Amino acid sequence: MKINYRPDIDGLRAVAVSAVVLFHYNIPYFQNGFLGVDIFFVISGFLITSIIYSEISAGTFTYKKFYARRFRRILPALLVVVAATTLLAYFILPPFELKRYAVTAIAALIGISNFAFYQFVDYFSPTADKQLLLMTWSLGVEEQFYLLFPPLLVFIVSKRKTSLTPILAGIVALSFIVAAGMNAYRPEAAFYLIPFRAWELGAGALLAVSTAGRQSEALSRVQTETIGILAVTLIGLALFVDVDVPIVMRHLCAVAGTVLLITSARSFTNRRILASPLLVGIGLVSYSWYLWHWLPASLIHTLEIKIGYIPRILLILSTLLLGVASYYAVERPFRRPASSDRATILKYAAAVCLVLSPLCLLVATSGLSNYASPPVRHIEAEVRGSFGNPCLASYGVSTPRLTPPCVTTGNKTAVALIGDSHANALAEGVKDFAASRSSDFYQFTKSSCPPLSGYTRYMSNRKGHDKECSDYMSAVFKVLEAHPEVDVVIVAGYWAASFDEENLGFRYSPSGADGSLVSTEESRRNLETGLNQTLVSIQKSGRKIVLVQDVPRFTVDPYTKMLADLIPLRAWLTSIATPSATNPQALDRISMSQVKEDIARNIVNRVLEKHQEVQLLDPFSFMCSNFGCIFKNEESVYYGDSQHLSKPGAKYLTQYLSYP
């Protein structure tokens, strides 16, 4: 099969990279821009397979030649970007985050960053925006494709060449089916990992081998134009359709549209639009632009700097210029083979090892922690210590832990803390409260699981969690019944959790019911009913109850805000965009304009009106004033993130508990 240059494919690359960049800079109407990566995957599968299959057919394919080409194509620009990002990370990140960055950088250089980010962060969570090399996850998927696919293709062609198309079709179908199921149960895995992305790369590969010997020229003009129009429609639907459409369908539209566009090479869309000089030019520099565009975006999120649309557009254009410079200064010169394939591979392996050395040092020294300032080390230790409590049951767990440190025994009375991760964040303070009254401490908390009797939390992105949560809380209530020494029960939670994500289909639903069928109005009534039944159930056994309203939640991260005062470069960069508060009384506070609305407060208060004997602990009463909500003292930060208290924050709040 003769491989000819297709300028329209470079134009298609331009569409893909532009969609991704506009999505990452939060430009309106591009909320689905991340699907540009799907377009890249199809293009990559098509081109790589076309080249390999052509060389196999001609008897000229060698692994050395293939991987030498890939090294020259990928590594020069990547090494420069990683080196520049590492230098910046050294000056702006505290030790733990610097160490984690180094882990992701190492993973990026050895082609497994998608696995690293799968372990660390959900791509769509707020913390993902702060990962300085997050964009390399897709590069990891492609590199694993380069590693696994050529041997498979060589084997099939040598043993069962006539079965190549049906075998590839089977792989694509199987991967798609598994990906569709995984999107419902483990969406992070479906997003990051190659088994669930193989159908996208495979679609391009299937197109490449199925058109060998019968090119798209065989299509009539009418057929070509029809396919081109359908392709544009599908990609348009993928990129701009409402987010309520299932993610699998959006992926499918993007992939199908790309396949059709590659097929319709002679259509008006391909010849006049995608092959236009502007789009072809952007497509040529798309790899470098993709690598460089993310650094300013992630820096903005890391420092939590708020900028308007015009500065964002200027940053986008600046990163495009960086991409152009990288293309001409780095990509093009290094693409030319200056030595044999074997020497090329050895040289790039040595270059990778050279860049890996300081990264390994950062990991080995825990982010050069001994060289960080004492205040930074102190604050980081407090925040890190607030996470990782073994008494917070993770997803997949449906029974409470009944052994130390979650259940301590020895005293005549005990204090029990029940709830979700917001309750878990109070644990250190409640433990002190229990010790002050010579009581044992019991903790029964589960992530995303409110302490509701007869009701549970349905999460559209975690199938089965509602049953896990219901089973967990039912077991907790049975444990409380079996332990009469528990005389005080503290009930806490992120009460507005399902309300804050109603647009994603999250609901409070009756246990055993289909949560996807619950309306938003029913969801709000269910919280009230379930919380009321929880209090009634606990009161029947004569226990005292403390019901905790949720803590103030912010649009900024208090930990990030405090780091801006302790790390010089962060302080300078933040001061440019965010003038400091001038009121001395507001220096330890976050303004009320940055406090998120808590629409569950009224529901919790209505429940309390029915239970006058229940004590209320309202964090707003002790943490907020007209000047804002307190988030630190001179030595400590009271939050581990934008909504979970740190250990000092828990101790500060629970000092107001007063049951004898």
Side-chain angles (χ1 to χ4, degrees):
M1 182 173 64
K2 184 179 180 181
I3 306 299
N4 295 318
Y5 172 64
R6 292 269 304 269
D8 58 310
I9 290 182
D10 270 329
L12 190 53
R13 279 197 180 106
V15 172
V17 73
S18 298
V20 172
V21 172
L22 293 170
F23 166 72
H24 284 155
Y25 279 86
N26 296 317
I27 302 301
Y29 307 113
F30 284 90
Q31 69 271 20
N32 291 337
F34 63 91
L35 293 170
V37 174
D38 299 56
I39 298 174
F40 275 126
F41 285 158
V42 177
I43 293 172
S44 182
F46 175 75
L47 293 179
I48 294 300
T49 304
S50 297
I51 294 169
I52 297 175
Y53 189 68
S54 174
E55 292 181 351
I56 292 173
S57 300
T60 60
F61 175 80
T62 67
Y63 289 107
K64 281 194 298 185
K65 180 169 65 175
F66 174 76
Y67 289 114
R69 279 199 306 256
R70 292 296 89 202
F71 279 21
R72 287 194 295 267
R73 176 73 174 92
I74 293 172
L75 286 177
L78 179 62
L79 288 169
V80 172
V81 169
V82 169
T85 306
T86 301
L87 183 63
L88 178 64
Y90 172 76
F91 286 105
I92 68 168
L93 297 182
F96 179 83
E97 293 178 18
L98 184 58
K99 176 184 177 180
R100 175 165 286 191
Y101 161 79
V103 171
T104 63
I106 292 169
L109 291 175
I110 63 176
I112 58 170
S113 61
N114 56 323
F115 285 96
F117 289 119
Y118 170 62
Q119 293 294 323
F120 289 160
V121 63
D122 177 357
Y123 183 81
F124 298 100
S125 74
T127 55
D129 292 338
K130 300 179 180 182
Q131 302 298 320
L132 299 180
L133 291 175
L134 181 66
M135 77 292 181
T136 63
W137 76 267
S138 61
L139 199 57
V141 173
E142 291 220 24
E143 289 172 335
Q144 290 149 33
F145 172 70
Y146 301 151
L147 183 65
L148 299 173
F149 187 69
L152 175 64
L153 190 60
V154 169
F155 176 79
I156 296 174
V157 171
S158 64
K159 300 295 183 182
R160 289 183 171 272
K161 186 174 182 178
T162 56
S163 302
L164 178 58
T165 298
I167 289 174
L168 288 180
I171 292 173
V172 170
L174 179 61
S175 174
F176 175 75
I177 292 170
V178 175
M182 192 60 70
N183 264 293
Y185 290 93
R186 288 295 180 268
E188 298 90 351
F191 188 89
Y192 283 122
L193 304 185
I194 190 168
F196 317 111
R197 291 287 190 168
W199 69 278
E200 300 175 355
L201 292 150
L206 184 60
L207 178 63
V209 300
S210 63
T211 58
R214 55 178 186 84
Q215 302 299 317
S216 58
E217 284 79 0
L219 297 171
S220 70
R221 184 65 178 269
V222 173
Q223 289 174 321
T224 299
E225 295 298 345
T226 302
I227 291 173
I229 292 171
L230 179 58
V232 171
T233 302
L234 288 172
I235 291 179
L237 287 172
L239 295 179
F240 302 110
V241 75
D242 190 271
V243 293
D244 287 339
V245 174
I247 186 67
V248 174
M249 294 306 299
R250 284 178 274 163
H251 284 302
L252 186 59
C253 285
V255 170
T258 306
V259 168
L260 292 177
L261 266 181
I262 295 174
T263 302
S264 60
R266 296 183 299 121
S267 74
F268 176 84
T269 300
N270 295 64
R271 291 182 296 106
R272 298 299 183 186
I273 300 176
L274 293 179
S276 64
L278 176 61
L279 289 183
V280 170
I282 293 174
L284 288 172
V285 304
S286 60
Y287 175 58
S288 280
W289 189 21
Y290 181 77
L291 290 180
W292 281 109
H293 89 279
W294 180 244
L295 183 56
S298 61
L299 184 61
I300 289 169
H301 292 296
T302 297
L303 302 179
E304 296 199 344
I305 297 173
K306 307 297 182 183
I307 62 173
Y309 289 125
I310 292 178
R312 276 183 260 171
I313 295 297
L314 292 175
L315 279 175
I316 289 172
L317 294 176
S318 298
T319 59
L320 177 56
L321 291 176
L322 265 177
V324 171
S326 174
Y327 174 74
Y328 284 103
V330 180
E331 276 196 71
R332 284 188 63 177
F334 283 95
R335 280 195 198 177
R336 305 186 189 102
S339 54
S340 67
D341 293 335
R342 182 176 182 276
T344 296
I345 293 173
L346 291 176
K347 286 177 181 178
Y348 279 110
V352 168
C353 290
L354 183 64
V355 179
L356 283 175
S357 298
L359 294 170
C360 292
L361 177 64
L362 290 177
V363 174
T365 60
S366 297
L368 297 175
S369 58
N370 290 337
Y371 296 93
S373 68
V376 169
R377 292 203 306 269
H378 172 73
I379 295 300
E380 185 175 70
E382 286 185 337
V383 170
R384 299 313 314 166
S386 301
F387 298 100
N389 188 340
C391 301
L392 177 64
S394 60
Y395 297 107
V397 176
S398 57
T399 56
R401 182 175 175 179
L402 301 178
T403 57
C406 308
V407 173
T408 59
T409 57
N411 293 298
K412 294 182 179 180
T413 60
V415 175
L417 171 66
I418 65 173
D420 55 18
S421 64
H422 284 212
N424 172 70
L426 293 169
E428 200 67 20
V430 176
K431 192 181 299 183
D432 286 352
F433 166 69
S436 70
R437 62 197 301 272
S438 300
S439 297
D440 292 325
F441 173 64
Y442 294 0
Q443 180 181 347
F444 306 123
T445 53
K446 175 175 169 60
S447 292
S448 301
C449 185
L452 304 178
S453 177
Y455 292 82
T456 185
R457 186 180 178 199
Y458 170 79
M459 300 173 68
S460 56
N461 64 339
R462 288 191 178 274
K463 302 297 183 184
H465 172 75
D466 48 350
K467 185 178 186 307
E468 286 174 14
C469 176
S470 179
D471 291 346
Y472 182 90
M473 282 302 163
S474 295
V476 167
F477 294 133
K478 290 179 181 178
V479 170
L480 291 178
E481 291 176 5
H483 289 267
E485 70 274 14
V486 176
D487 64 335
V488 175
V489 180
I490 297 176
V491 181
Y494 177 9
W495 306 116
S498 289
F499 307 151
D500 289 347
E501 297 177 296
E502 285 177 338
N503 62 317
L504 299 178
F506 289 28
R507 299 288 187 269
Y508 290 115
S509 64
S511 299
D514 185 350
S516 64
L517 302 178
V518 174
S519 68
T520 56
E521 293 77 11
E522 290 172 327
S523 177
R524 300 185 184 203
R525 289 196 298 269
N526 290 340
L527 171 62
E528 184 170 350
T529 304
L531 183 55
N532 179 67
Q533 290 181 179
T534 294
L535 300 184
V536 169
S537 174
I538 296 173
Q539 283 178 314
K540 283 182 179 179
S541 56
R543 275 73 178 263
K544 304 180 183 72
I545 302 174
V546 179
L547 180 60
V548 185
Q549 279 276 19
D550 201 7
V551 296
R553 295 174 288 112
F554 305 115
T555 59
V556 297
D557 184 351
Y559 175 48
T560 298
K561 191 174 177 66
M562 193 155 188
L563 286 176
D565 297 330
L566 301 176
I567 298 177
L569 183 57
R570 290 177 78 124
W572 179 71
L573 291 171
T574 304
S575 67
I576 295 174
T578 310
S580 301
T582 56
N583 187 336
Q585 292 177 286
L587 292 177
D588 64 347
R589 294 176 182 268
I590 293 175
S591 69
M592 295 303 294
S593 64
Q594 294 175 311
V595 178
K596 291 183 179 179
E597 180 186 9
D598 186 351
I599 59 178
R601 285 181 62 83
N602 290 336
I603 295 175
V604 174
N605 286 333
R606 283 201 302 270
V607 173
L608 275 167
E609 290 174 359
K610 303 174 186 176
H611 302 275
Q612 299 296 323
E613 65 281 10
V614 172
Q615 184 183 113
L616 171 67
L617 179 63
D618 187 354
F620 273 81
S621 301
F622 308 110
M623 302 182 75
C624 301
S625 70
N626 293 334
F627 297 113
C629 295
I630 190 168
F631 75 96
K632 68 173 184 176
N633 59 25
E634 291 183 358
E635 297 180 350
S636 300
V637 62
Y638 289 161
Y639 280 77
D641 57 26
S642 62
Q643 61 182 19
H644 292 91
L645 292 177
S646 64
K647 288 183 178 180
K651 290 174 180 288
Y652 171 83
L653 178 61
T654 53
Q655 66 180 310
Y656 298 101
L657 285 170
S658 60
Y659 266 132

